Amino acid sequence: MVGYGCAGAAAALEARASGADVILLERAGGGGGSSAHSGGEIYLGGGTPIQQACGFTDTAEDMEAYLLAALGPHADAGKIRAYCEGSLEHYEWLSSCGVPFKPSLWDSPSWVPPTDDGLMWLGENAMPFAAVAKPAPRGHRVTSEGYGGKVLMKVLAEAVERAGIRVHTDTYAGQLILDGGTVTGVVATHFGKTVTYRARRGVILTTGGFADNAEMVALHAPRLTGLGVTSDGGDDGHGIRMAQALGAGTARMSSAQVGITLIPGLVVRGLLVNAVGQRFINEDQYPGLLGQAALFKQDLAVWVILDEQAYEEVPVEERWGVVPHYAAETIEELEQEVGMPEGSLAGTVHEYNRHAAAGRTRTSPRTSAGCGPWNRPSPPSMSAAA
Ligand SMILES: Cc1cc2nc3c(=O)[nH]c(=O)nc-3n(C[C@H](O)[C@H](O)[C@H](O)COP(=O)(O)OP(=O)(O)OC[C@H]3O[C@@H](n4cnc5c(N)ncnc54)[C@H](O)[C@@H]3O)c2cc1C
């Protein structure tokens, strides 16, 4: 096994459980990878005990319908189906390893909630998805202060140790060994020394992504070039290249999570508009989808338009330091300050409020999660943050 993040730990444990003699190779001084840096929010559904304890019913079919709609077009339908059909089993597997989830709901949009609540919405209750699949919150958060990835990896590492799996750290896998069309080993380096591993049954690569390899990013996902990267710093893509060198195929290399620095709690209380003052997505969708739409469709020229009351409603500690770039007394003044065409933002707000006044909101009537309409026709003071 090459790479000791969450995928490596899971594969190693399962291989061991099926009787294999496993060695985990890890380039860093210890396991963890980007998994240990992550929020520890794991997408699970189909009626997990945590969902049930929080009063939600869910099915694998609804989970699948949501993911197909949210990840499309061209989503990998086979993989999504397997992921959803296996979701309860995945939850049980994590639990059996000792991964903790608290049976309580954080009922407000967020990247990472400020509490240790174990369940959160990840856009399931936003339109148009709420009309496609019965909404249920599926973000399962590993119980932790702040980001849960560190707890996830600590618990999985304990399970790896209990299972007697050998871990060789500071060991960088550089090349796969091929014998007659079969991968039979790995050539690695350990403090400058070459170490050769012979695999009796196979080699599994779980080396993470390539976000830290600028050349690969430019080649496969050029739209992401030059943007900030969130990773453990070691996503050099070498594991992928080792496999490619033997002729392995790759898929979806251009896909990426776009972690735009918008505060979901602020966005849902306002309007998200482009450079010409037009809304381009429902503000209560999963923040990763907002980021993708902002980058791929609007070239990141986007603004969150808020009134003062909405801004104040979000506690300072949940604003992650975001402050307004512009403030004005009226929408017209604001659009002028930001440099939008005359009447553009004012037109958007007028239309939005006309629909809101008629009871047509962007929030599904089937849910109550806090994403109310933005229906304050004459805000005392407007501000824009981006
Ligand atoms: C700040 C942050 C927050 C995130 N939050 C979430 C979240 O809440 N929910 C979610 O689903 N996802 C989240 N993600 C994404 C998620 O962390 C990753 O998709 C996931 O951890 C990838 O797991 P992995 O096991 O494939 O890779 P990793 O965890 O990166 O593990 C790969 C391991 O392979 C090792 N390795 C690489 N190359 C070699 C080599 N040649 N030889 C030996 N070892 C090698 C690396 O050192 C590393 O330890 C977040 C990511 C970040 C950075």
Side-chain angles (χ1 to χ4, degrees), residues 2-3 5-7 26-27 33-35 37-41 171 173 206-208 230:
V2 184
C6 187
E26 168 55 49
R27 66 181 287 186
S34 290
S35 306
H37 291 256
S38 78
E41 294 160 11
T171 303
T206 48
T207 50
T230 50

Side-chain angles (χ1 to χ4, degrees), residues 1-10 24-43 83 111-112 120 122 140-141 147-149 152-153 168-175 186-189 205-209 229-240 242 257 286:
M1 205 80 55
V2 184
Y4 187 7
C6 187
L24 255 168
L25 308 184
E26 168 55 49
R27 66 181 287 186
S34 290
S35 306
H37 291 256
S38 78
E41 294 160 11
I42 304 177
Y43 204 75
Y83 186 77
W111 280 112
V112 181
M120 65 189 288
L122 291 175
H140 285 62
R141 301 182 60 222
Y147 284 38
L152 173 67
M153 284 313 299
H168 291 190
T169 56
D170 299 301
T171 303
Y172 187 84
Q175 210 180 331
V186 175
V187 180
T189 47
L205 297 176
T206 48
T207 50
V229 170
T230 50
S231 76
D232 66 343
D235 278 343
D236 68 0
H238 189 73
I240 298 169
M242 278 196 295
Q257 160 87 327
Y286 172 58

Side-chain angles (χ1 to χ4, degrees), residues 271-280 294 297-305 331-332 334-351 384 386:
L271 301 179
L272 180 60
V273 300
N274 62 16
V276 291
Q278 295 167 331
R279 292 176 69 225
F280 55 93
K297 296 188 183 153
Q298 307 298 339
D299 210 15
L300 288 181
V302 300
W303 296 97
V304 177
I305 310 296
I331 298 276
E332 289 75 12
L334 186 67
E335 96 192 351
Q336 205 179 357
E337 275 195 42
V338 178
M340 292 173 181
E342 191 182 336
S344 57
L345 182 61
T348 296
V349 172
H350 175 79
E351 267 306 282

Side-chain angles (χ1 to χ4, degrees), residues 9 17 21 35 70 104 176 193 280 297 329 377:
D21 185 14
S35 306
S104 58
L176 295 168
K193 274 198 203 148
F280 55 93
K297 296 188 183 153
E329 292 298 317

